[in-house]
Amino acid sequence: MSEIPETASGVVWQSSPPGSIYDYIRVASFSIGPDGLVEQWSRRAVELFGVTAEDAMGKDPVEAFMPADLRERGHRRVKEILDGKEWTGLVPFRMPGEDRPHGIAEMYVMPSETASGRRAALCIVVDVRALRRIETDLAASQAIFGQSPFGFLLFGTDLTVKRANRRFAAVFGGSAEDHRGRSVHDYLPRAEADRMTAALRRVLETGESVADLQIVGAAPGSTDRRQWSINLYRVHSGTGRPVGVAGLGIDVTRRHNAAREAANARRNLALLNEAGARIGNSLDLEATARELLDVAVPGFCDLAAVDLYQGLLTGDEAPPGRMGSSHDVGYGAGSAELRRVAVASAVSDTRVQVGRPRAAGDDAAARAAGADREVCCDEGPIEVGSVHRYPFNSPCAGALRTGRIRTVPGADGSLVQSTLVVPMVAHDTVVGLVQFSRAKGSEPFGERDRALAVELAARAAVCIDNARLYRREHERALILQRSLLPPGDPEAAGLDIACRYLPGTAATEVGGDWFDVIQLPGHRTALVVGDVMGRGLRAAVAMGELRTAVRTLAQLDLEPAEVLSHLDEIARGLGAPGGAQQSARAHKARGPELSEVYLATCVYAVYDPVTRRCTFANAGHLPPVLVEPGEEALLLDVPPGMPLGVGGEPFEEVEVELPEGALLALYTDGLVESRDHPLDEGLSAFRSALSNPGRPLEDVCDHVLSTLDTRHGEDDIALLMARIQGLPAEAVGDWRLPREPRSVGRARELARAQLTAWELEPLVDTVELLVSELVTNALRYGEGEIRLRLLRDRTLVCEVWDAGLVQPRRRRAKDTDEGGRGLQLVGLLSAAWGSRRTPRGKTVWFELPLPDGDGLAEPTVDQLLSMF
């Protein structure tokens, strides 16, 4: 009985509510008559002993429920009880019909009397196992609640604290008992307490738990803001009645701070990446300064300004200043003259106010009067384009003089909170000054911000100094610089590549040698080596134009012979401003002396790593050298053809299957030809130098250059070597599909299975969608059998082949069109896509980055809507 309410008519007994302790203990009872036989048998006794009342009534409980070896003692106990003696103890019992004990019961036996005055007994029985379970559960609950390293609270249905553990009390003061009856408003600010209360009420009413509820507050007696992660769940009684809400609080302040630091580090890294991509895209000084501010505002600061030395902008030969020298800061007139070249502000209707210029006389007078204070830069605006000087004792002049960053607090009443004054230093040369400011209300500058500011200024300074050097160089040096080979180590699927380029000496001016490694669809690679005949600036310019044309033609995915044919036309038009046709007219009408004649040799090869086949076309160049494993080097029999620019002769192609591990070498004549020996001897020496191709490819290149006579300085030398490493069979999925509608679904199944085998599950949905689009297009607009191929290397490439000759064309579908958006979808979801002709039709392909690489950004809503 849990409660006995009083009414006007007296006391009314009510049954105990669900969840009473008796529901857990499950007490049973029965009575024994004067004859020692069972007279009454409760329902709980039926549940405990598994014996119905009909089977128990009238039986001797000792004979029926106790093991045989204990019956004699049991009869003595029953006799004593019927004589009026109480007894409490543990009694083993068994089920009727079983020999072994079934369990142990804790029994309370109390003597009683019948209506006639005869002695009987009332027995109260509790299963010991239930008691032990309760004891164990209470001990475990106390251990978990009391020893938890996290704050633990139990809220009642009135949302007040019913129990708190020691960890919670250690944080919020007092003992655990002191917190009984309190509410969350006693611990948290009002807004946070209201959020917490709402969450508690929602959990209590709905039963849905709350995980990682972020609460901000401060412990009593402390002003430090703490961040807690709160987890709430509803607590029920044994019968399922809600009795309160349990709350587990974890202090995640450190984790929150670490996450904020990590976010700041990611932001800084992103800013540096953006700076590397955006700063220095031009050789214009003012444009570089604006690019710096475009990166810094508002991503790094709210206000910014760039000052460059006036002498730098006017093209003085002498560098603007060395750190620590008196050149940048004149002792009589403050800093040297600077010009404000760029400003930026993320604050609306606000002008950047950093560095008001002062007259030289004012500054000298201040020093003469003994003033040694630092003059703050926030003394007035400087207009873009104005020339000014900073006072000698100002932080700006000090930063220019020492080359070190300064932090300047904002003036009282100013919008600026603080300013970082950063000198722009490149190669120990100070070229200018950049000032980053944050408005009041923004996060203050920290050490990470200071380091980032120095890095941003340094990157911009290097670009500005390069631009300064660029202005001083001759036009010929500029053209030669832009005609250099592409930087970086070339990479290609199925090929290990090494290359060398040795320019000729200054006496021979410059040449027109070049090489290139061009990525083609389907993980194929174009290898190019060429040489423009002649030397000097004109040859270098022609080389640059031809090299650019080769890369452009390669992107069209033409056959090697077609590429050389187009290059031939381009070479014939290089000497005439109007192109090849104008050049031809000049030759016919006025003779060749009125137009330049450019001749060049070139080898163009396309390698397919799936088949390990390489297709060569040659325009008057030296033949490639092939070294198969265990064999001597040999010259490939590729028809030489006519040099580019001659015209009138077609080019032939040769396809060669290259074994795994073979070595292919393309080169220019400067490697094997000189005045000291004929060409045949140079070729023989080159082949001998390749006699041990098993060593690392870089070592092979170094061995070749050290063995041959490469220091004659008569011509440039270009060497391009590739070791064959075809794609393994497990990296290729190739299927042929019949020309029928169900092939679309079959293509999706094959793609899904192959990607799963490659453990590329993140790409399955995108690939299935795009494969479905391409196969559907092949069914609608193509011809013949359909072929699906998946290639996995550094990226994933999917190709769909058919016999149709019509190339797919991306178009914008009308609003009323039901189709026509497939290729738009392919373009949005893939990193690249295209189509190419094949000997028997065409191939449409798309490419996706692998999940462990730089992921492809998901299309935006505007991009998706643009298809409609």
Side-chain angles (χ1 to χ4, degrees):
M1 306 297 179
S2 64
E3 51 185 342
I4 308 177
E6 295 185 0
T7 63
S9 59
V11 177
V12 178
W13 293 86
Q14 293 185 354
S15 61
S16 62
S20 169
I21 187 65
Y22 299 106
D23 291 334
Y24 295 95
I25 300 178
R26 306 187 70 82
V27 179
S29 66
F30 65 92
S31 64
I32 301 175
D35 53 1
L37 304 180
V38 176
E39 282 189 342
Q40 294 179 339
W41 192 257
S42 69
R43 292 183 180 179
R44 289 285 177 87
V46 174
E47 297 176 2
L48 176 62
F49 294 100
V51 178
T52 63
E54 295 178 355
D55 295 334
M57 298 285 286
K59 291 186 178 180
D60 185 342
V62 175
E63 296 292 335
F65 303 111
M66 294 187 67
D69 57 340
L70 299 177
R71 290 174 185 171
E72 182 179 355
R73 185 187 304 174
H75 284 301
R76 289 199 306 268
R77 293 295 185 189
V78 171
K79 184 178 179 180
E80 294 174 355
I81 293 169
L82 293 178
D83 287 341
K85 184 178 180 179
E86 292 187 0
W87 181 82
T88 302
L90 300 178
V91 178
F93 66 89
R94 67 178 182 85
M95 294 296 182
E98 298 181 1
D99 294 332
R100 295 184 177 181
H102 177 73
I104 297 178
E106 186 168 343
M107 185 175 297
Y108 306 88
V109 183
M110 296 168 285
S112 63
E113 292 184 357
T114 63
S116 61
R118 301 181 64 186
R119 292 184 176 180
L122 177 63
C123 302
I124 306 297
V125 184
V126 178
D127 190 346
V128 173
R129 293 172 301 177
L131 291 176
R132 298 298 178 264
R133 282 197 300 268
I134 293 174
E135 292 173 355
T136 302
D137 291 345
L138 289 175
S141 175
Q142 180 61 31
I144 295 174
F145 193 88
Q147 300 174 17
S148 172
F150 310 115
F152 212 115
L153 288 176
L154 180 61
F155 295 91
T157 55
D158 58 353
L159 303 186
T160 61
V161 177
K162 299 302 181 184
R163 190 176 180 186
N165 69 346
R166 289 194 299 269
R167 175 59 182 169
F168 182 86
V171 174
F172 287 92
S175 65
E177 293 296 325
D178 296 337
H179 295 277
R180 290 182 181 271
R182 295 184 180 181
S183 68
V184 294
H185 286 82
D186 296 320
Y187 306 105
L188 299 173
R190 180 170 183 176
E192 294 293 86
D194 291 342
R195 288 180 57 230
M196 182 77 172
T197 301
L200 287 169
R201 184 173 292 109
R202 184 169 63 254
V203 172
L204 185 62
E205 294 174 353
T206 65
E208 297 180 358
S209 60
V210 172
D212 196 23
L213 175 64
Q214 296 294 318
I215 296 295
V216 179
S222 174
T223 58
D224 295 338
R225 290 171 59 86
R226 311 297 295 177
Q227 191 95 6
W228 290 289
S229 173
I230 307 297
N231 299 283
L232 304 174
Y233 58 93
R234 191 167 69 181
V235 180
H236 305 85
S237 66
T239 58
R241 180 176 63 90
V243 296
V245 177
L248 178 66
I250 304 173
D251 190 338
V252 294
T253 306
R254 291 184 178 179
R255 186 175 69 186
H256 179 74
N257 293 339
R260 184 174 60 183
E261 287 293 324
N264 290 338
R266 288 193 297 269
R267 182 205 65 182
N268 292 351
L269 181 59
L271 280 173
L272 289 177
N273 291 337
E274 185 181 4
R278 297 180 61 180
I279 298 177
N281 291 325
S282 68
L283 291 174
D284 181 82
L285 300 178
E286 290 84 353
T288 302
R290 288 192 296 270
E291 290 165 356
L292 169 61
L293 299 193
D294 289 340
V295 172
V297 179
F300 176 68
C301 62
D302 302 314
L303 313 165
V306 176
D307 299 319
L308 296 180
Y309 278 112
Q310 178 69 358
L312 184 80
L313 298 169
T314 56
D316 290 350
E317 289 295 324
R322 295 284 177 178
M323 290 189 300
S325 71
S326 60
H327 180 78
D328 0 31
V329 181
Y331 285 97
S335 71
E337 288 187 340
L338 297 107
R339 183 192 302 176
R340 177 63 52 86
V341 294
V343 296
S345 172
V347 184
S348 59
D349 299 329
T350 301
R351 301 166 66 189
V352 179
Q353 298 184 4
V354 279
R356 182 180 61 84
R358 292 180 59 184
D362 295 340
D363 189 58
R367 288 200 312 279
D372 57 357
R373 67 180 181 91
E374 287 195 343
V375 182
C376 180
C377 295
D378 293 340
E379 296 185 355
I382 301 176
E383 301 294 337
V384 175
S386 63
V387 178
H388 61 278
R389 297 175 184 267
Y390 286 111
F392 178 82
N393 288 328
S394 68
C396 298
L400 289 170
R401 187 166 53 247
T402 63
R404 296 181 180 179
I405 185 174
R406 298 287 187 94
T407 301
V408 182
D412 294 338
S414 171
L415 176 69
V416 175
Q417 178 194 81
S418 61
T419 299
L420 294 180
V421 180
V422 189
M424 305 177 71
V425 183
H427 311 299
D428 292 333
T429 299
V430 181
V431 298
L433 188 75
V434 58
Q435 300 175 57
F436 303 110
S437 301
R438 286 184 179 174
K440 292 182 178 177
S442 299
E443 185 177 355
F445 287 115
E447 287 301 319
R448 290 182 183 271
D449 297 322
R450 289 170 59 90
L452 178 60
V454 172
E455 180 64 23
L456 289 175
R459 293 194 179 197
V462 169
C463 296
I464 289 174
D465 193 53
N466 289 340
R468 176 180 68 87
L469 296 175
Y470 161 77
R471 288 185 175 182
R472 295 172 49 193
E473 297 299 325
H474 193 269
E475 181 182 5
R476 179 178 298 179
L478 169 63
I479 297 176
L480 291 179
Q481 182 181 4
R482 293 187 175 182
S483 299
L484 291 177
L485 299 174
D489 296 327
E491 295 182 354
L495 292 176
D496 182 16
I497 296 178
C499 52
R500 296 290 187 273
Y501 179 81
L502 300 179
T505 63
T508 59
E509 298 179 339
V510 294
D513 292 9
W514 90 91
F515 69 89
D516 216 342
V517 179
I518 306 171
Q519 301 294 324
L520 300 179
H523 287 317
R524 296 172 303 130
T525 304
L527 305 175
V528 189
V529 168
D531 183 6
V532 176
M533 297 181 184
R535 296 184 179 88
L537 183 61
R538 295 184 181 276
V541 172
M543 177 270 284
E545 294 189 20
L546 289 178
R547 177 175 168 273
T548 303
V550 168
R551 297 191 69 88
T552 303
L553 294 171
Q555 297 305 316
L556 299 178
D557 211 0
L558 303 177
E559 296 296 327
E562 292 181 83
V563 172
L564 294 185
S565 296
H566 286 291
L567 283 178
D568 184 285
E569 292 293 332
I570 293 172
R572 293 171 63 190
L574 287 178
Q581 294 181 352
Q582 292 288 346
S583 178
R585 294 194 189 104
H587 274 280
K588 292 181 181 179
R590 303 180 184 178
E593 68 279 357
L594 297 181
S595 61
E596 286 283 316
V597 177
Y598 288 90
L599 298 179
T601 62
C602 180
V603 171
Y604 187 89
V606 175
Y607 170 70
D608 187 346
V610 179
T611 62
R612 293 202 312 275
R613 290 182 173 273
C614 191
T615 304
F616 296 89
N618 192 349
H621 201 80
L622 294 173
V625 176
L626 177 66
V627 187
E628 297 185 7
E631 302 291 339
E632 294 183 356
L634 56 88
L635 299 176
L636 290 179
D637 186 13
V638 180
M642 299 299 293
L644 302 176
V646 174
E649 292 293 331
F651 297 97
E652 299 181 37
E653 293 181 357
V654 173
E655 186 177 74
V656 180
E657 184 172 354
L658 305 177
E660 186 78 16
L663 187 65
L664 179 66
L666 305 178
Y667 52 97
T668 56
D669 56 3
L671 181 67
V672 296
E673 185 179 23
S674 73
R675 298 176 183 178
D676 300 330
H677 56 75
L679 177 61
D680 291 341
E681 291 183 11
L683 289 173
S684 177
F686 180 39
R687 293 168 56 191
S688 299
L690 296 174
S691 59
N692 186 13
R695 68 181 71 179
L697 203 55
E698 295 290 337
D699 295 345
V700 175
C701 285
D702 294 336
H703 177 70
V704 168
L705 295 180
S706 62
T707 302
L708 301 182
D709 180 18
T710 59
R711 298 179 178 85
H712 49 74
E714 297 173 4
D715 197 359
D716 295 350
I717 295 174
L719 174 62
L720 176 62
M721 304 187 72
R723 177 170 285 126
I724 306 304
Q725 299 174 346
L727 287 181
E730 58 270 16
V732 179
D734 197 350
W735 308 276
R736 298 182 183 274
L737 304 172
R739 190 171 189 78
E740 55 188 26
R742 63 181 180 179
S743 293
V744 178
R746 178 60 178 161
R748 290 196 297 267
E749 294 174 359
L750 293 170
R752 184 190 312 115
Q754 186 64 73
L755 291 179
T756 302
W758 285 340
E759 298 181 355
L760 297 178
E761 287 83 355
L763 300 181
V764 168
D765 293 339
T766 302
V767 172
E768 279 189 342
L769 176 60
L770 300 187
V771 165
S772 178
E773 292 291 340
L774 296 189
V775 174
T776 300
N777 283 349
L779 286 173
R780 288 182 177 177
Y781 310 112
E783 299 176 6
E785 186 181 48
I786 299 173
R787 181 180 177 188
L788 172 64
R789 189 166 76 168
L790 293 177
L791 308 176
R792 177 187 178 181
D793 192 64
R794 290 168 298 167
T795 60
L796 178 70
V797 172
C798 175
E799 298 175 323
V800 175
W801 309 41
D802 69 80
L805 298 177
V806 178
Q807 297 290 323
R809 180 175 60 87
R810 183 175 177 179
R811 65 183 181 87
R812 181 176 296 278
K814 298 179 181 178
D815 294 343
T816 57
D817 290 348
E818 296 182 358
R821 300 177 179 87
L823 294 181
Q824 286 184 265
L825 193 61
V826 173
L828 280 176
L829 297 181
S830 64
W833 77 279
S835 65
R836 68 177 184 272
R837 292 181 296 172
T838 63
R840 297 180 180 84
K842 69 176 181 298
T843 299
V844 185
W845 58 272
F846 66 83
E847 183 176 0
L848 291 173
L850 298 183
D852 55 351
D854 294 332
L856 186 66
E858 293 289 337
T860 63
V861 174
D862 292 338
Q863 288 175 322
L864 293 174
L865 292 177
S866 68
M867 297 190 300
F868 298 90

